[in-house]
Amino acid sequence: AQAYDVRSPWPVLVVEKSKQFDAKVGEATTEMSAMFLTRRLALWQHLEREQLPVTQPGLGQLLLRVRTCGVCHTDLHLVEGDIRPPELPRTPGHQVVGEVAVLGPQVQGWAVGDRCGLAWLHRACGDCPYCRRGQENLCLRAAFTGFHVDGGFAEYVLAEADYALRLPPNIPDGQAAPLLCAGIIGFRSLRQAD
């Protein structure tokens, strides 16, 4: 079930724990609840809640159990039709705070239960001039969370292990979520100004 976190000054979607979370994903959990965009008309009216299969992670991926997902203005633009994802249906949400539920093949440096963040940049090619200069956000082959691939308005979401972000334990989920978008933009701007 989803609810808004009234303790946070930012709009944050909180995924409440259910009995389903007590089971190991690989063994017992085969479905999840997700809000996905099926068509563009009125705000939020066409985000439909559905039971969807939980997709197991592929090579280099993590399956995250979503703890919290911020609501970014980009998500509003997506739902209102101001920007159009390449295909529908699509699950929005790119300010994801989650915990690792399942490791995909060849994932190193992560363990089941690790807390992490998933931001707008889902993956980049790693080879183009932009990627080699540390400007992956400009990569022509980049994929964006909640736009090219399903995002965090769901109980589970896939993440590329190389693009998942470690989160400090002292920042609560509802405060960490907006840092995965606006916080990254501000930090990058400061870094570029040096």
Side-chain angles (χ1 to χ4, degrees), residues 54-155:
V54 174
T55 304
Q56 295 301 304
L59 188 68
Q61 292 184 322
L62 306 169
L63 178 66
L64 306 181
R65 182 185 65 79
V66 176
R67 293 164 48 143
T68 300
C69 186
V71 180
C72 177
H73 207 88
T74 302
D75 297 319
L76 301 180
H77 284 303
L78 185 72
V79 173
E80 292 174 334
D82 297 331
I83 59 174
R84 300 183 188 283
E87 59 185 52
L88 293 175
R90 177 64 60 221
T91 301
H94 59 269
Q95 297 178 3
V96 181
V97 175
E99 66 183 47
V100 176
V102 178
L103 301 171
Q106 297 184 13
V107 169
Q108 296 179 5
W110 290 100
V112 171
D114 283 352
R115 182 173 175 248
C116 63
L118 179 59
W120 175 244
L121 183 62
H122 187 79
R123 69 175 173 267
C125 77
D127 295 323
C128 72
Y130 293 117
C131 288
R132 288 194 302 266
R133 287 196 305 259
Q135 296 176 312
E136 294 91 346
N137 60 309
L138 301 176
C139 175
L140 297 177
R141 293 183 288 174
F144 300 107
T145 308
F147 186 75
H148 294 104
V149 297
D150 287 329
F153 288 8
E155 291 178 296

Side-chain angles (χ1 to χ4, degrees), residues 29-68:
T29 303
T30 58
E31 284 193 343
M32 68 174 178
S33 179
M35 300 291 291
F36 65 99
L37 181 64
T38 58
R39 57 181 181 255
R40 297 169 205 88
L41 288 174
L43 178 64
W44 298 115
Q45 188 173 351
H46 297 287
L47 277 177
E48 298 179 10
R49 185 177 181 152
E50 293 285 334
Q51 287 299 115
L52 300 173
V54 174
T55 304
Q56 295 301 304
L59 188 68
Q61 292 184 322
L62 306 169
L63 178 66
L64 306 181
R65 182 185 65 79
V66 176
R67 293 164 48 143
T68 300

